[in-house]
Amino acid sequence: MFLYSLTRWRYIGLIASLLLVLTSLFSIYHYGLIMSIDFTGGTIIDIQMPTLLTISELQSMIQSPLKDSLIIQQGSEEGLWQLIIPINGTMIDPHQLISIVSQQLALPITLLQASVVGPQVGEELFNQGGLALLAASISIMAYLALRFEWRLSLAAIASLIHDTILTFGLLAFLEIKIDLNVVAGLLAVIGYSLNDSIVIADRLRDILKAKPNSNIYLNTDLAIRATFARTLVTAGTTIFIIGCLLVMGGDALYGFSMTMFAGVLTGTWSSVTIASTIQELLGLSPEHYQPKLDLIDDMP
């Protein structure tokens, strides 16, 4: 198994990935996943407030009785902000709330709109988001099983689980709230995570068909080497764009950008260390891609 240098590094990477999964599970258990108001419910008030202060500076100026319940977030445009009160926070009339916040911050505030997300709506959004992730995973697994081979399908799903756990572990460690933008990022990560795995698997299938008597580990190494330049260019350009969005997108897109950034990195890594190695451990061989010939007895 370890006769080839790339094979050796792939299996070392598999061990490293398992350690990262355990670390991420500990991070999720220790820090916990912080659910946003999209899932927990509460009140969102959109306001216009002219200020150059940062969110941390504004948050530190909030005093009782709103100090422990009010959350200030930056809006999609300059000068637009959001005041968020969780469902278990102190519920105050929006006009009264703006009056109190305006006095504490010593800034003029204009009410734009106020919306309430009930706990039942938040629970429904959470359930629908989970079902969307599950449906996407099952559909992809069925497609891969029909398009390639069931061993690749299981290996790709294992790669998806690896990427999802690592992404959630990073979100928990950084204390990033899970909102609908993060769920959208996770759905995009699922598609991207399979991108390199399918490209490598397609190349591996061609090699196995052309070399039915060769070693499976050597063939996998050849497939990875043949697609490495394409993987490097695709991942590099994608990470560059997401990095720009992460730096310049602001707080409104921070959760989505970080989810995509972590997902692209782990997806590229797992295509080599998880998907390409697990299908070997499941017994993939050149015989599985050889055409099956039906023997027809000659009629007398």
Side-chain angles (χ1 to χ4, degrees), residues 201-278:
D202 188 65
R203 182 59 178 164
L204 176 61
R205 179 182 57 181
D206 294 338
I207 295 176
L208 292 179
K209 287 182 177 180
K211 301 179 180 180
N213 298 322
S214 59
N215 185 283
I216 179 62
Y217 304 106
L218 178 59
N219 287 338
T220 303
D221 292 349
L222 292 175
I224 294 174
R225 288 193 179 98
T227 58
F228 181 75
R230 176 254 173 215
T231 299
L232 191 62
V233 172
T234 303
T237 53
T238 305
I239 290 176
F240 175 77
I241 299 300
I242 298 175
C244 295
L245 188 63
L246 182 63
V247 174
M248 305 178 63
D251 294 332
L253 296 176
Y254 181 72
F256 172 80
S257 303
M258 183 57 69
T259 301
M260 286 291 297
F261 189 84
V264 171
L265 285 179
T266 57
T268 304
W269 168 264
S270 64
S271 298
V272 177
T273 62
I274 302 294
S276 299
T277 54
I278 287 184

Side-chain angles (χ1 to χ4, degrees), residues 108-126:
I109 298 177
T110 302
L111 173 63
L112 299 179
Q113 66 176 3
S115 57
V116 178
V117 180
Q120 293 182 349
V121 176
E123 182 179 359
E124 182 179 357
L125 290 175
F126 179 80

